[in-house]
Amino acid sequence: MDLNHLLIWFVCISCIANLIRGLQHYRSAGGWVIISASILLFTLALWLRHPQTAGYISGVAWALLIVLPLISFRRTQMLAAQYRFQAATRWAYLGRLFHPFDGWGLYPPYLRALALAQAGHADAKDHFQRLKNTTSGLGQAAYCNLFRVEGDWQGLRHWIEKDITLKKLSRYPRLISFYLQALGETQALTEMIAALEHLQALLQKAGPTDWNLCRLIVFAYCGEPAMVSHLLQGTTKTTRDRRFWLATAYMAAGKTGVAQADIDQILESGDLLYFQTLRTRKNIAGLAKNLSHHSHSLLQQWRPELGTSPRPVTAPSMLNQSPISLLFIALNLVAFGLELQQGGSTNPETLYNLGALVPEVVIAGAWWRLLTSTFLHFGWMHLLFNMLGLAILGPFVERQLGWLRYGLMYLAAGVGSMLTLTILATQGFSETKFALGASGAVMGIIGAEAAILILLWRRKPSRLVTQRLRRVGLIVALQTFFDLTTPQISFIGHMSGLILGFIVGMMLQFSREP
């Protein structure tokens, strides 16, 4: 198995996965479908004509047209969610350079307009004005922001109710939070709560991020700063945005003096996204007292438990916040360094001396090899791909299980897969003579993720959990195909790690549920 072969496999699998996802959402991802199909056909043509270099050439095309834009867009969305619009604009321009499709052509100028408004530049209005005439969702968001920087919430409310209508608002999820804020600013709390009730199922299906944001807006205008503060813990909003919503909640609660310091700081910044709203805001104190019994019961129903974390279970998990995943990566790197020092990472004698798995030797009493073999790798490619899998897949499972349970699951899957290979080999059911690598443990992480997602879906079905489960299923299917078509790959080791990870992950996660 060489690098050229691996690159062909990864390019093809990536393109197929993109095609499957893109065809499900063709209207918003048609460009990805075309690019993925083109790279897939290009790779197959190269493989037929020049098999020795097909992987290298297609790998470059894949990196430029798929990997780089995806990294840029993910970074753009993360920065935009943090209200860091200036930095997000730079990443958006980079992404658009390699993927100017699927509406991304308008995204950089939209973010630039937000950055200008945030910095207090009056010409931000001109940028929003130019974008509002486009028919895309970004054009509608730009029109909403035009009302926002002018502080014309009555105009925004009138536009949505007349041109969009509440019945059709579910088709435009970008506008829901704008509309709820417009109702709050125009003191229409009963209508605001009724709108959220009408759109609740849609927001919950879309995911916890949108649902928490809309609940935050409603609780702010109903004068509940404790609820707002709690919901803000699960967001990546900037300090200025947090100050705005907390100040709004305190003002609605009749505690303007508590909110005044935050209001003054926002006004001094000149941020047009908030300036006119705060400067022209009418008295919103005590409006929640006039709500009906039904509205109060809905607020009680939407109230989060203060003892629980508002962070959604499907939110991205970061490697730098996953100490056990980092520890396992470090141990694998240290072991690889020992391989290089002792004679080379592809030297069988060196690997044997450091603890590679040899079934007959393990049965003879060297049981410690079941553990040491999971930290050794044959060559840098073997190490690289396993560590990438650990870095990408590990943080989510670690956050869900907790560091101790996650560490136990990882070791159980890794050691268990090596034990399975040993038993089957010594009983004549496998031809394994020599084995090493963290692949069984990494497959265990995939199995544990599947178990966690199944339990989460059983507790509360959601579209995001279903999507993650489908992704896990796709990974398993593609890994199985790769194992069965590639020599020197242990299908038994991978599948046993997957199954053990699923079983142990199910037990450990189930024990954590109330």
Side-chain angles (χ1 to χ4, degrees):
M1 182 178 62
D2 59 9
L3 181 59
N4 182 63
H5 176 85
L6 278 173
L7 285 173
I8 292 175
W9 182 81
F10 270 104
V11 169
C12 291
I13 295 306
S14 172
C15 291
I16 292 171
N18 278 337
L19 282 172
I20 294 173
R21 289 194 298 267
L23 289 172
Q24 293 174 341
H25 309 281
Y26 188 79
R27 287 186 177 180
S28 59
W32 290 113
V33 171
I34 294 171
I35 288 176
S36 298
S38 300
I39 293 177
L40 184 61
L41 292 173
F42 178 65
T43 302
L44 293 175
L46 282 173
W47 180 69
L48 292 173
R49 296 287 301 271
H50 306 285
Q52 293 80 13
T53 58
Y56 300 110
I57 299 173
S58 60
V60 173
W62 172 70
L64 289 176
L65 299 178
I66 292 182
V67 177
L68 184 58
L70 283 176
I71 292 173
S72 300
F73 296 157
R74 182 172 182 179
R75 184 68 177 167
T76 298
Q77 291 171 332
M78 184 187 74
L79 291 169
Q82 297 172 352
Y83 278 49
R84 297 168 60 187
F85 298 122
Q86 189 64 44
T89 302
R90 292 192 291 269
W91 281 95
Y93 275 117
L94 176 62
R96 189 181 72 171
L97 182 64
F98 295 95
H99 189 89
F101 314 106
D102 303 321
W104 278 93
L106 293 174
Y107 206 42
Y110 173 70
L111 290 171
R112 175 166 170 74
L114 287 172
L116 289 172
Q118 190 177 56
H121 293 292
D123 55 351
K125 296 180 183 180
D126 296 331
H127 288 72
F128 285 129
Q129 190 74 34
R130 286 194 292 269
L131 287 168
K132 79 167 190 176
N133 297 320
T134 61
T135 58
S136 67
L138 281 177
Q140 293 171 336
Y143 198 26
C144 288
N145 275 296
L146 188 59
F147 285 110
R148 181 184 183 185
V149 298
E150 293 175 348
D152 185 10
W153 293 103
Q154 186 64 52
L156 174 57
R157 176 184 172 184
H158 178 74
W159 172 67
I160 291 179
E161 291 176 346
K162 179 183 177 182
D163 294 351
I164 304 297
T165 75
L166 186 59
K167 183 178 180 180
K168 295 181 181 179
L169 196 61
S170 59
R171 302 179 190 176
Y172 308 100
R174 286 179 182 270
L175 307 189
I176 294 176
S177 61
F178 283 110
Y179 181 56
L180 292 176
Q181 186 173 356
L183 291 170
E185 290 293 341
T186 55
Q187 304 181 353
L189 266 61
T190 299
E191 292 86 343
M192 178 182 67
I193 293 172
L196 184 58
E197 181 185 18
H198 178 76
L199 298 164
Q200 178 177 351
L202 171 72
L203 291 166
Q204 290 178 329
K205 184 178 179 181
T209 301
D210 293 331
W211 171 236
N212 285 342
L213 172 61
C214 290
R215 282 195 298 173
L216 184 153
I217 292 171
V218 168
F219 281 118
Y221 289 104
C222 289
E224 300 200 28
M227 292 295 104
V228 172
S229 178
H230 178 70
L231 289 168
L232 281 170
Q233 294 175 26
T235 71
T236 55
K237 294 186 179 298
T238 61
T239 302
R240 193 178 299 164
D241 202 51
R242 291 170 182 270
R243 284 175 175 162
F244 174 82
W245 288 114
L246 282 172
T248 299
Y250 280 117
M251 290 179 72
K255 300 178 181 179
T256 305
V258 179
Q260 196 60 51
D262 286 335
I263 294 173
D264 290 342
Q265 287 194 16
I266 295 172
L267 291 175
E268 287 174 8
S269 72
D271 190 336
L272 295 180
L273 299 176
Y274 307 105
F275 186 85
Q276 285 296 111
T277 298
L278 290 175
R279 196 174 69 84
T280 61
R281 174 180 282 172
K282 298 178 182 179
N283 184 18
I284 58 174
L287 296 176
K289 295 178 181 178
N290 301 321
L291 292 174
S292 66
H293 175 73
H294 178 66
S295 295
H296 280 295
S297 65
L298 286 173
L299 289 174
Q300 187 64 33
Q301 174 188 327
W302 297 333
R303 193 180 303 275
E305 297 181 13
L306 292 179
T308 61
S309 171
R311 180 179 172 88
V313 297
T314 48
S317 305
M318 305 301 291
L319 181 61
N320 59 6
Q321 300 171 357
S322 308
I324 303 303
S325 293
L326 288 170
L327 174 62
F328 284 133
I329 291 174
L331 291 174
N332 279 280
L333 293 175
V334 169
F336 194 74
L338 288 174
E339 293 174 31
L340 298 177
Q341 184 184 38
Q342 297 296 321
S345 62
T346 58
N347 186 321
E349 183 178 354
T350 298
L351 296 172
Y352 176 83
N353 292 334
L354 288 173
L357 181 81
V358 180
E360 294 79 6
V361 177
V362 172
I363 293 296
W367 296 101
W368 52 274
R369 291 180 179 270
L370 295 175
L371 177 62
T372 56
S373 59
T374 64
F375 293 96
L376 300 175
H377 289 85
F378 189 86
W380 66 269
M381 282 192 297
H382 190 200
L383 174 74
L384 175 63
F385 287 117
N386 276 339
M387 293 306 98
L388 281 175
L390 177 52
I392 294 170
L393 302 170
F396 173 80
V397 178
E398 181 174 346
R399 178 162 65 86
Q400 293 300 313
L401 291 180
W403 67 269
L404 179 58
R405 287 181 172 86
Y406 170 71
L408 290 174
M409 182 282 303
Y410 181 93
L411 294 174
V415 172
S417 66
M418 291 299 180
L419 179 60
T420 303
L421 283 175
T422 299
I423 294 172
L424 293 179
T426 55
Q427 295 300 315
F429 296 106
S430 171
E431 297 181 357
T432 301
K433 303 295 183 184
F434 198 85
L436 67 163
S439 303
V442 173
M443 291 300 292
I445 293 175
I446 297 174
E449 180 175 353
I452 292 166
L453 291 172
I454 288 172
L455 289 174
L456 290 173
W457 188 89
R458 187 195 67 169
R459 188 175 65 192
K460 187 175 182 180
S462 75
R463 182 173 61 89
L464 291 179
V465 171
T466 302
Q467 287 178 344
R468 289 192 75 118
L469 270 172
R470 288 175 181 168
R471 188 190 72 170
V472 169
L474 180 62
I475 291 173
V476 172
L478 295 176
Q479 183 66 53
T480 301
F481 175 78
F482 179 65
D483 290 350
L484 295 176
T485 57
T486 305
Q488 300 176 340
I489 297 295
S490 177
F491 172 73
I492 295 174
H494 287 170
M495 290 303 106
S496 59
L498 177 75
I499 295 169
L500 286 167
F502 180 85
I503 295 172
V504 176
M506 180 72 74
M507 294 170 59
L508 294 175
Q509 179 72 359
F510 189 77
S511 68
R512 298 189 73 204
E513 292 193 349

